[in-house]
């Protein structure tokens, strides 16, 4: 398994995607670590973040080539979508895989212990996993980092 | 040791506040749909345990029958299932 990293940041709000991990027909990417924090001046405000399955990638602000954690690795097959999405990805309803509500002043980190506990996307084109703010009391920029393997 | 722990956690959630206080909590992963939740004793949320997978499941209506996540993804990739 090869490990990769990527990050994205946007102003949070209602259904604002921070980053998507886009699978291909050739690979099942597996997220094993997520970090979320506020990159602007934080206030006492709350945001609710979720990771869900996506079945259409939407229109990302820009692409982000996954960074190999081991420089000897070949390039990643999956890739990230970051930036402000002009068209939000299509999320599978009521099937969120990961959820966390947090104060803006806090930093959240989640780590999977084993491969069977990672968040897995199917090896299907235009599918993947997306991390978004589902609701938020403010529109401050937050940053999300994702580590995954494929 | 996490403040909210189980014997075989699927993951760890670490939250650090503005003062540097750290709260750690174990998370569990549903063996049928892949959902992750924070273990919270006394939450009142009904979860389950699959005796075939020998792992906890999230208690969602779709997850009481044994249908492992790997099989769901296989079936989805083959077009046998519309939603994972």
């Amino acid at each position: 398994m090869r490990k990769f990293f990527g990050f994205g940041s946007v102003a949070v709000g209602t259904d604002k995607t921070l980053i998507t991990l886009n699978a291909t027909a050739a690979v099942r990417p597996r997220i094993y670590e997520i970090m979320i924090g506020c990159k602007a001046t934080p206030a006492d405000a709350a945001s609710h973040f979720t990771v869900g399955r996506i079945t259409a990638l939407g229109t990302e602000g820009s692409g982000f080539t996954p960074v190999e954690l081991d420089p000897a690795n070949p390039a990643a097959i999956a890739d990230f979508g970051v930036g402000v999405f002009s068209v939000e990805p299509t999320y599978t309803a009521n099937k969120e895989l990961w959820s966390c509500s947090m104060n803006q002043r806090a930093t959240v980190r989640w780590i999977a212990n084993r491969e069977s506990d990672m968040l897995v996307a199917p090896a299907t084109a235009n599918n993947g996993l997306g991390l978004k703010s589902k609701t938020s009391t403010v529109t401050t920029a937050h940053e999300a980092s994702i580590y995954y393997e494929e | 040791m996490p403040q909210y722990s189980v014997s075989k956690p699927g993951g760890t959630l670490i939250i650090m506040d503005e003062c540097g206080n750290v709260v750690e909590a174990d998370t569990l992963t549903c063996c049928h749909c892949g959902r992750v939740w924070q273990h919270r004793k006394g939450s009142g949320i009904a979860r389950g345990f699959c005796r075939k997978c020998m792992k906890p499941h999230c208690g969602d209506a779709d997850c009481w029958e044994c249908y492992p996540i790997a099989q769901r993804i296989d079936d989805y990739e083959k077009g046998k299932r519309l939603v994972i």
Side-chain angles (χ1 to χ4, degrees):
Chain A
M1 288 289 176
R2 300 164 299 162
K3 296 180 177 178
F4 300 90
F5 161 75
F7 68 96
S9 65
V10 296
V12 295
T14 302
D15 294 327
K16 297 287 184 189
T17 297
L18 279 75
I19 184 168
T20 59
L21 176 57
N22 309 330
T24 72
V27 70
R28 281 184 189 173
R30 299 166 191 268
I31 295 175
Y32 64 89
E33 184 166 339
I34 297 170
M35 285 188 283
I36 304 173
C38 178
K39 64 181 290 189
T41 306
D44 270 327
S47 301
H48 178 204
F49 294 93
T50 61
V51 174
R53 298 192 184 283
I54 55 178
T55 53
L57 301 182
T59 307
E60 62 197 27
S62 59
F64 184 102
T65 304
V67 178
E68 309 91 327
L69 297 191
D70 180 347
N73 278 349
I77 298 170
D79 77 334
F80 289 109
V82 297
V84 178
F85 282 68
S86 55
V87 177
E88 284 287 319
T90 303
Y91 287 86
T92 305
N94 302 320
K95 292 281 185 184
E96 290 90 0
L97 295 178
W98 186 92
S99 165
C100 182
S101 293
M102 59 181 277
N103 188 290
Q104 235 180 54
R105 297 184 192 276
T107 303
V108 168
R109 181 180 179 214
W110 172 78
I111 312 111
N113 285 352
R114 293 174 291 273
E115 188 177 336
S116 62
D117 297 303
M118 298 176 188
L119 307 178
V120 189
T124 305
N126 296 320
N127 276 237
L129 300 167
L131 193 159
K132 70 174 181 178
S133 65
K134 196 163 188 180
T135 58
S136 180
T137 57
V138 289
T139 57
T140 314
H142 280 62
E143 185 167 287
S145 302
I146 286 179
Y147 292 80
Y148 81 96
E149 63 177 40
E150 62 177 38
Chain B
M1 176 126 179
Q3 285 149 303
Y4 304 96
S5 65
V6 292
S7 59
K8 291 182 180 175
T12 306
L13 188 68
I14 303 168
I15 302 169
M16 188 169 75
D17 71 12
E18 62 188 295
C19 301
N21 301 315
V22 175
V23 175
E24 287 187 35
D26 286 340
T27 62
L28 294 167
T29 306
C30 179
C31 57
H32 295 160
C33 72
R35 178 175 291 161
V36 173
W37 71 93
Q38 180 191 331
H39 166 71
R40 198 177 298 139
K41 191 176 180 182
S43 68
I45 301 171
R47 311 288 186 187
F49 188 86
C50 177
R51 298 293 297 268
K52 290 182 180 173
C53 301
M54 292 306 285
K55 288 180 181 174
H57 68 75
C58 67
D60 193 76
D62 291 343
C63 292
W64 288 94
E65 187 179 341
C66 182
Y67 188 2
I69 180 68
Q71 186 65 48
R72 286 186 192 219
I73 292 176
D74 280 345
D75 289 349
Y76 179 81
E77 289 172 352
K78 291 172 184 168
K80 294 180 184 174
R81 190 177 165 86
L82 294 176
V83 177
I84 298 173

